Amino acid sequence: DILKTRSGALRGTVGYKNESTKSVKDLRLVLFVGDGATKHYARMQEYGGVVKPTRSRFLTLPLPDNLTAAGVPRFPSARSLFSQHFLDKPKRVWIERTPSGYAIIKYRPETPMFGKDVLSLWILKTSVRLKPRLGFAKTVKEQQGVRVKELRDALARTLRAVRAAAK
């Protein structure tokens, strides 16, 4: 696998639909990736693009201290972590600027985690450019001839079986 799979949710939306209207001559299958909930995500993974925040000023991108071995964030959101520790004295969650100007959300757990007293959990960004990474369309195009032949052969076998059963 070239790509890491965290949840498999996008993979589960790969499918096809039959758009035939009248007969076998009119047979037309349409392949797709993404359903109503994931189609924008699928398009972004396939073709790339710019992601911008929709409900706040910044995207919060998890940093390595905040990721499990599977790449899943340990803390689900910066907002929930801030609200959970809002009244803590001394402060346990804060935003710190790096020398290069990035804003990093830092967290001081009650006991050290991973041998660290302070964790860098998220970087704040106003937008992120994603590179195309799936290659689904390219793969489908490369395999189209083979798949059409397989489909034609399967259809011919089915028709022969139906004719033989009808005799």
Side-chain angles (χ1 to χ4, degrees):
D1 242 284
I2 294 173
L3 301 175
K4 274 187 173 177
T5 300
R6 286 195 339 217
S7 69
L10 186 59
R11 183 186 316 176
T13 67
V14 175
Y16 67 92
K17 61 183 174 181
N18 177 358
E19 290 195 349
S20 301
T21 55
K22 298 174 188 166
S23 67
V24 174
K25 284 184 177 180
D26 189 39
L27 184 62
R28 182 166 179 234
L29 295 178
V30 176
L31 296 170
F32 61 86
V33 177
D35 54 22
T38 61
K39 65 182 175 187
H40 301 295
Y41 170 74
R43 178 174 290 286
M44 191 66 72
Q45 294 292 319
E46 178 70 21
Y47 301 110
V50 177
V51 178
K52 294 182 179 183
T54 56
R55 295 181 301 226
S56 63
R57 287 180 44 210
F58 298 100
L59 297 169
T60 52
L61 306 174
L63 294 171
D65 285 351
N66 191 17
L67 297 176
T68 66
V72 178
R74 295 176 200 287
F75 301 97
S77 78
R79 184 167 296 181
S80 67
L81 193 66
F82 269 107
S83 62
Q84 183 180 350
H85 296 288
F86 182 71
L87 298 175
D88 288 355
K89 299 287 183 200
K91 287 238 181 260
R92 292 184 47 210
V93 181
W94 68 96
I95 298 174
E96 189 174 291
R97 285 244 178 236
T98 66
S100 54
Y102 292 110
I104 307 286
I105 297 177
K106 302 277 192 159
Y107 172 60
R108 180 180 284 110
E110 288 182 16
T111 58
M113 292 174 71
F114 323 114
K116 296 180 178 182
D117 292 331
V118 175
L119 303 176
S120 297
L121 299 182
W122 291 278
I123 185 168
L124 301 177
K125 296 272 198 160
T126 54
S127 66
V128 176
R129 176 168 294 283
L130 295 180
K131 294 178 182 175
R133 54 184 250 146
L134 287 184
F136 181 77
K138 178 182 174 218
T139 302
V140 167
K141 190 170 186 171
E142 288 171 354
Q143 295 182 357
Q144 184 175 1
V146 174
R147 299 295 175 222
V148 167
K149 183 182 179 330
E150 288 174 354
L151 182 60
R152 189 179 300 128
D153 293 347
L155 188 56
R157 282 193 306 275
T158 302
L159 291 173
R160 281 194 299 273
V162 168
R163 283 187 193 131
K167 289 182 180 179

